[in-house]
Amino acid sequence: MLVKPVVSAYHRWVASGRRLAEGWAGSPRALDALTALSCLGLMALDLPGLAAADNSLSGPAAAVVLAVGCASLLVRRRTPWISYLAALLFIGWLHELTLIQFALYSVGRYRGRRAAVLATIGYVGFALLLFSCVPGWAADRAGTLSGFLSLFVPIGVLASAVGIAAYRHDLVGELTARRAESAVLQAVQQERTSVARDVHDFVGRELTLLTVRSEVLSVRARETTHAKDFEELADTARRAHLVLNEIIVQRGERASTPGVDGLPALAEESGRAGSPVRLAMDREAHGLSPLRQAAVYRVVQECLTNAAKHAHGETIDVSIAADGPQLRIAVSNALPARTPGRAPVSAGSGTASMSERVRSLGGTLTARRTEDAYEVVATLPRG
């Protein structure tokens, strides 16, 4: 009897491990770790020479120092100047030129052209100062000034140039993504305008006829027992027509869809309606673009609405967490113990609408029902 739960738990662990591995493999942290290890591997080739040089370092000590220096590349995205300063220290102390190439590339990649040019000038000037003022410093690197320039200058220029090119490529990619988001927003706005026009032309006309006919019937039935009913019908038709006109006329003045900042209020509203929500949200969700934040809000909103319809009173778990280069939205609720006597009113298009919105942004959405719960999982690219 315990075989099935054990197998199910095993499959869940395997799936969680697979998701973790896939997320880590594509994450920036994994790339930084690989870069640091690559730099360490290249510098390890110089360990015999470092041990023999006059720098008071033995082989094991040199390995530790090189490992600490390469570890500075783990923070190269946020603070590339740390690895840059460590590389300058390695140049003056160990005569090691490998780390400076990674450091200059990182400065150009994550701080742009101006910072890369300044870093390259500083590197060449520092090395030239050592060459001129420290006797015998570059004897094993370059015996003359021309030899020094032919070795040190290309190293800095090439590393910075590659970093600047990667920085420009990132800018172009971000601009392309923003243009795609703008095109999606424009298409959505055009579709909304088209729908509003159709509603105004067709539904508005029918509501106008309904209002006129109900008022005529109300006048004709004044002396009958149904006079009050016809008056209420006429009032309802007039209010419906007014509401429709307000929606159409004020459509351009409506507030935009809330972002992730509106999720706590949405959860609180669901709790007041009888469906408590446990909300867990990663801080990195606040760094999404407004279009992606709106998609997250709509997905959660639709899930809470569905849960209120089909599992009213059950606690709803909402999780929004960074999963490598993607953002994962998971909403689940337990199924009610009893099936309601009357099926809830539903158009059946909510899940399809959510899926279409998520796919338009390059994400995925899956909805599945287990023996005791209903779960919706959506992923959106963070960049």
Side-chain angles (χ1 to χ4, degrees):
M1 298 297 294
L2 296 178
V3 174
K4 185 175 180 180
V6 171
V7 172
S8 179
Y10 171 76
H11 286 306
R12 286 198 298 269
W13 293 337
V14 171
S16 299
R18 185 181 297 111
R19 286 197 301 268
L20 181 63
E22 292 175 353
W24 171 254
S27 66
R29 295 177 182 177
L31 184 59
D32 292 341
L34 181 61
T35 301
L37 290 175
S38 301
C39 182
L40 180 60
L42 292 175
M43 289 197 298
L45 300 176
D46 288 343
L47 280 178
L50 292 177
D54 185 18
N55 52 39
S56 69
L57 282 180
S58 63
V64 173
V65 171
L66 294 181
V68 173
C70 291
S72 65
L73 292 173
L74 297 176
V75 294
R76 66 195 184 104
R77 296 174 185 270
R78 294 184 178 179
T79 53
W81 297 109
I82 293 179
S83 57
Y84 176 76
L85 294 176
L88 294 183
L89 176 63
F90 276 27
I91 293 175
W93 181 23
L94 305 177
H95 308 173
E96 175 56 59
L97 297 177
T98 303
L99 182 58
I100 191 63
Q101 301 174 54
F102 288 84
L104 288 175
Y105 168 82
S106 300
V107 172
R109 174 72 183 273
Y110 302 110
R111 288 297 180 269
R113 181 178 60 184
R114 181 178 299 178
V117 171
L118 292 177
T120 304
I121 294 175
Y123 148 73
V124 174
F126 178 74
L128 183 59
L129 180 65
L130 293 175
F131 179 84
S132 304
C133 301
V134 180
W137 171 79
D140 58 336
R141 297 291 183 181
T144 63
L145 179 61
S146 61
F148 166 83
L149 295 177
S150 65
L151 174 65
F152 282 80
V153 174
I155 288 177
V157 172
L158 289 177
S160 297
V162 174
I164 293 172
Y167 177 79
R168 292 176 63 86
H169 181 270
D170 291 342
L171 290 181
V172 172
E174 183 179 357
L175 179 60
T176 302
R178 289 184 178 180
R179 286 178 177 175
E181 291 183 0
S182 178
V184 171
L185 282 174
Q186 185 177 3
V188 170
Q189 186 61 37
Q190 290 177 351
E191 181 64 20
R192 287 178 175 176
T193 303
S194 177
V195 171
R197 187 182 301 114
D198 292 340
V199 169
H200 180 270
D201 293 342
F202 298 103
V203 181
R205 176 179 176 275
E206 298 299 325
L207 279 177
T208 300
L209 294 177
L210 177 60
T211 303
V212 172
R213 290 183 63 84
S214 60
E215 289 177 350
V216 171
L217 292 175
S218 175
V219 172
R220 291 180 180 177
R222 282 180 180 177
E223 305 300 330
T224 66
T225 58
H226 302 288
K228 184 178 180 181
D229 296 333
F230 282 111
E231 288 178 0
E232 292 179 354
L233 177 62
D235 290 339
T236 302
R238 280 193 296 270
R239 286 197 302 271
H241 201 185
L242 288 174
V243 170
L244 177 65
N245 287 338
E246 289 178 359
I247 292 175
I248 299 301
V249 172
Q250 299 178 4
R251 187 170 188 84
E253 301 176 0
R254 294 171 61 188
S256 59
T257 301
V260 295
D261 291 333
L263 292 179
L266 189 63
E268 184 179 353
E269 180 183 354
S270 177
R272 289 196 301 267
S275 297
V277 176
R278 287 195 292 256
L279 176 63
M281 181 166 56
D282 198 322
R283 288 182 300 176
E284 296 188 19
H286 295 275
L288 295 174
S289 65
L291 182 61
R292 285 175 169 77
Q293 290 198 32
V296 172
Y297 183 90
R298 288 305 187 194
V299 167
V300 175
Q301 183 183 45
E302 181 63 29
C303 290
L304 296 184
T305 301
N306 290 340
K309 288 180 182 179
H310 302 281
H312 184 71
E314 300 292 340
T315 300
I316 308 169
D317 291 305
V318 178
S319 171
I320 302 172
D323 187 7
Q326 295 181 328
L327 190 78
R328 186 174 185 269
I329 307 110
V331 183
S332 63
N333 60 269
L335 298 178
R338 296 181 180 179
T339 304
R342 299 179 60 185
V345 177
S346 176
S349 60
T351 303
S353 177
M354 282 193 300
S355 181
E356 181 63 28
R357 178 187 287 270
V358 171
R359 283 201 305 269
S360 68
L361 296 177
T364 61
L365 184 141
T366 58
R368 65 188 184 95
R369 177 172 179 167
T370 62
E371 295 180 357
D372 55 357
Y374 186 81
E375 182 181 29
V376 175
V377 177
T379 60
L380 286 173
R382 293 165 56 189

